[in-house]
Amino acid sequence: MNLSGVLFFPVTPFDGAGALAEDVLAEHVRRGLAHGTGGVFVACGTGEFSALSHSEHARAVRVAAETVQGAVPLLAGAGGPLGAALEQARTAREAGADGLLLMPPYLTQGTAAGFAEYVRAIAAELPVIIYQRGSVVLDPAAAVELARIPGVIGLKDGLGDIDRMQRIVLAVRREIGPDFTFFNGLPTAELTMPAYRGIGVDLYSSAVFAFAPEIATAYFNGDDRLLTEFYAPLVELRSKAPGYAVALVKAGLRLRGLDVGPVRAPLTDLTPEHLAELDAILKNGLALVGA
């Protein structure tokens, strides 16, 4: 699977009644495609995966697949209880997704062998990128064993432990080869990309791309001014409340004129004060890139 450039994680829009806003999702995905994303990850963390019903998840993947139409790889979120993850995998496959981002299992903590069996069952349905965060914390040997499972094609890192990741990258590339995909999946990944590039990981997901693709693309093309002038203040704002990693993206989209609705509980939307801060940060970033 050829993932490249900036990876796009759309939000899941909701209408005034709280239902999935399919037309808005389609428009959101079209805008990302128009700005040259190298991969679309629907119904994942930024898409409020944990707040979606099975039917909403299936419909979101279908809408994204009908919009992407094979232009770039499309991956869907899957995870939680094994039975639920298998249902998500099967409906994603039927909708036309190319692969899955496998979220950590919730609450239940098993052995490394048990997690490998969990991954093996889901990877039999569609190619899988494992998401390292929460209960999934790998050492190099465990990462190599997971990478040997047929259908496991990559690892998204949401921990930010550079020492651990360097050892994992070296071990997997030595034992598996250069085609295994690694990418930085930390919130506001651009701020940590200098460190990840230092260990040989150039690919990353961009929450900013979802609401300000002009800024995300300018950074990708080498405008390092944005680290100080845009990304650093954005991360400061993100740290002011749990869940703002998603709420900021939805608020940014609303500020840009796309009504994606609110976040779902237990997440909360920005306070008026924080929304004003985001507006100022966003305007400054857009001015820097001439947008």
Side-chain angles (χ1 to χ4, degrees):
M1 187 180 300
N2 183 26
L3 294 168
S4 62
V6 181
L7 304 181
F8 173 32
F9 282 62
V11 303
T12 300
F14 304 118
D15 63 21
L20 178 68
E22 296 186 17
D23 290 348
V24 180
L25 176 58
E27 175 60 21
H28 182 32
V29 173
R30 277 193 292 270
R31 292 184 184 188
L33 292 171
H35 280 88
T37 182
V40 176
F41 288 69
V42 67
C44 294
T46 305
E48 297 179 81
F49 167 79
S50 62
L52 301 178
S53 69
H54 176 68
S55 63
E56 288 172 329
H57 178 278
R59 285 160 50 211
V61 178
R62 175 180 51 78
V63 168
E66 290 172 352
T67 307
V68 172
Q69 295 187 343
V72 297
L74 172 68
L75 292 92
L82 179 58
L86 288 171
E87 272 195 88
Q88 291 155 356
R90 289 163 185 157
T91 55
R93 185 189 66 223
E94 290 163 5
D98 301 298
L100 304 168
L101 178 63
L102 186 57
M103 308 293 187
Y106 296 108
L107 299 179
T108 303
Q109 180 85 43
T111 63
F115 180 64
E117 288 307 306
Y118 175 86
V119 172
R120 191 183 310 278
I122 299 163
E125 301 293 335
L126 272 177
V128 160
I129 293 175
I130 295 168
Y131 194 179
Q132 176 172 242
R133 64 172 295 179
S135 62
V136 178
V137 180
L138 306 175
D139 59 30
V144 168
E145 288 308 305
L146 291 171
R148 293 190 193 281
I149 294 173
V152 174
I153 62 170
L155 177 69
K156 173 184 178 181
D157 182 48
L159 291 181
D161 183 335
I162 295 296
D163 174 82
R164 180 183 301 274
M165 274 301 294
Q166 176 69 95
R167 290 183 289 117
I168 287 172
V169 169
L170 291 174
V172 171
R173 287 185 175 158
R174 181 181 64 245
E175 299 296 329
I176 306 299
D179 294 334
F180 192 84
T181 297
F182 292 99
F183 69 91
N184 175 4
L186 289 174
T188 321
E190 286 91 341
L191 202 63
T192 53
M193 275 312 296
Y196 278 83
R197 289 192 185 101
I199 62 169
V201 177
D202 295 322
L203 197 63
Y204 62 96
S205 57
S206 174
V208 170
F209 186 90
F211 68 94
E214 306 94 334
I215 295 173
T217 301
Y219 171 77
F220 178 79
N221 289 331
D223 191 343
D224 289 336
R225 298 174 303 161
L226 292 162
L227 287 177
T228 301
E229 301 298 326
F230 174 79
Y231 286 104
L234 184 69
V235 169
E236 288 296 322
L237 177 56
R238 191 195 71 215
S239 69
K240 291 184 178 180
Y244 267 15
V246 176
L248 282 171
V249 179
K250 280 198 156 178
L253 280 160
R254 293 192 299 270
L255 288 171
R256 301 297 304 279
L258 189 64
D259 185 5
V260 294
V263 294
R264 276 186 175 169
L267 301 183
T268 56
D269 285 305
L270 274 61
T271 65
E273 176 187 1
H274 292 161
L275 182 60
E277 283 188 52
L278 176 62
D279 190 31
I281 293 167
L282 180 56
K283 285 176 177 173
N284 184 56
L286 291 169
L288 282 169
V289 301

